[in-house]
Amino acid sequence: MHLPWSLKAGACMKNPDNHAQAAPAGGVKSADPCSAIIFGASGDLTKRKLIPSLYNLAVANYLSKDFALVGFARPPMTHQEFRDKLDKEVKLYAGRSVDQTIWAWFLDRIYYQAGEFSDPAAYQALKTLLIEVEERHKTQGNRLYYLATLPSFFGTVVEQLGVAGLVEEGGQTWRRVIIEKPFGHDLDSARALNRDISKVLAERQIYRIDHYLGKETVQNLMALRFGNGIFEPIWNRRYIDHVEITVAEELGVEQRGPYYEEAGALRDMVPNHILQLIAVTAMEPPISFDADAVRDEKHKVLKAITPMTPQEVLQRAVRGQYGEGMVADTLVSSYRKEDRVAPTSSVETYVALKLFVDNWRWAKVPFYLRTGKRLPKRMTEIVIQFHRPPLLLFKQSGVEQLDPNVLVIRIQPNEGVTLTFGAKIPGPKMELGSVNMDFNYSDNFGIQTSTGYETLLYDCMIGDATPFQRADMLEAGWAVVQPILDVWKALPPRDFPNYSAGTCGPKDADTLVERDGKHWRNLD
Ligand code: BG6
């Protein structure tokens, strides 16, 4: 089961020497002793997310005191140079003031190995270093390999780890590999990658990460649905009119032009993050929180999403690309003028889809989803809209329309849940207004400092694969988007750019929902 993530005051490791004795908040045990080996240690993910998350785990005493970290990347660096680099970066990315005592403890167990990802000699050098480090820090031979490299190296690194004998387990010793996204480029390449890595690793050793599953509110969705008596009985097509999922970003592609030119919004966000949000929203209650019990139910949802025919793709899939526009009072350039993006690029930065989960719970309930860059604001939410109540009773009192109940699950920012319902406006007449019942995470549980990766790293260190993707889930996700990729490849867009930066996306996305008599929730 996941970490009850609480990095609040009081959960702090004040004295690193007491690290083993101090119990983490909430009675959760510290992770197993282990070394974490990060491939791609000179890159962005390492400095922005992985090091701050591991540091946060240390602060909250969730990291074992018998821990070490080895960075592996191409640039030549000594251990000390790598430590100095992280020392500068942590201040920028930790999101909190850095406790010098804990950070010094952490830095002291960091090492570096330079090498090419395809060079067997580099893995032999890594092996020698690991033996030394494991001896010094008593990590008991447990290893967490984190593949934070370019996706094209995932297969190579796993293969080389196998050749060097670095992933063999024995007795109580575990060897686990976290693989970043994107896992494959389409259905065929995802299958091929699964096939290749399964030659070296058992499925239980593979942790395919999707950082959305580390987000507190996504995890809370299971608590909301299955830990309360009032939601589950009405969580179906009899009561729910439609589900709307929005993952909106204010940012553009920033420095990631080359990656994004290969990926586009559909590959970047849908087969992973958004389908995981649908899976958690639509799954049946699992029989336990065991990794496979939960993942079996999510897999069933993904398999129940009917892949679109080419004709349906034309009707139910919308793509867009941003042009120049105003974001937060600043004029920003079009996608085609971003760094290292082709001036005639036909890559989409916006996607809207209408999907169906064709099972007894959800048949005929549309799942509308949209995601895009350079939208008016950053906002991720899941909206459950219930059927509109019949009007007859109120019509006689002059009420012209009854608003449906809406349950909004805010993933970010302002994490929380809001239920909207109708209430009588005080006065002699029967008039109804919409009012909200609101739960805000920060009001109830305080502000939490977390990157979303902490809980995932911790889960991997204790061997809980629940929030990680299994091979079959991943392939089921790609099977949903493959028909869209095929049609879009065959028919390049003719109207790009078709929305201005800072606006809510292309007109066709509005038409997609308006055809069904609905409208998107306001993004402005
Ligand atoms: C990443 C995508 O997986 O998720 C990015 O590659 C996107 O393009 C990011 O910006 C969004 O994550 P978050 O946590 O900021 O919603």
Side-chain angles (χ1 to χ4, degrees), residues 187 266 270-271 275 278 301-308 313 353 355-356 369 473-485:
L187 181 56
L266 182 64
V270 180
L275 290 187
I278 293 186
V301 173
L302 298 175
K303 290 293 278 186
I305 301 177
T306 35
M308 294 185 210
V313 171
L353 302 176
L355 299 178
F356 289 99
L369 53 98
M473 293 162 69
L474 209 121
E475 290 178 15
W478 277 115
V480 172
V481 298
Q482 190 61 51
I484 309 170
L485 290 173

Side-chain angles (χ1 to χ4, degrees), residues 105-117:
W105 173 88
F106 191 74
L107 264 189
D108 220 31
R109 50 204 62 238
I110 294 184
Y111 302 85
Y112 185 75
Q113 175 64 54
E116 291 292 328
F117 298 126

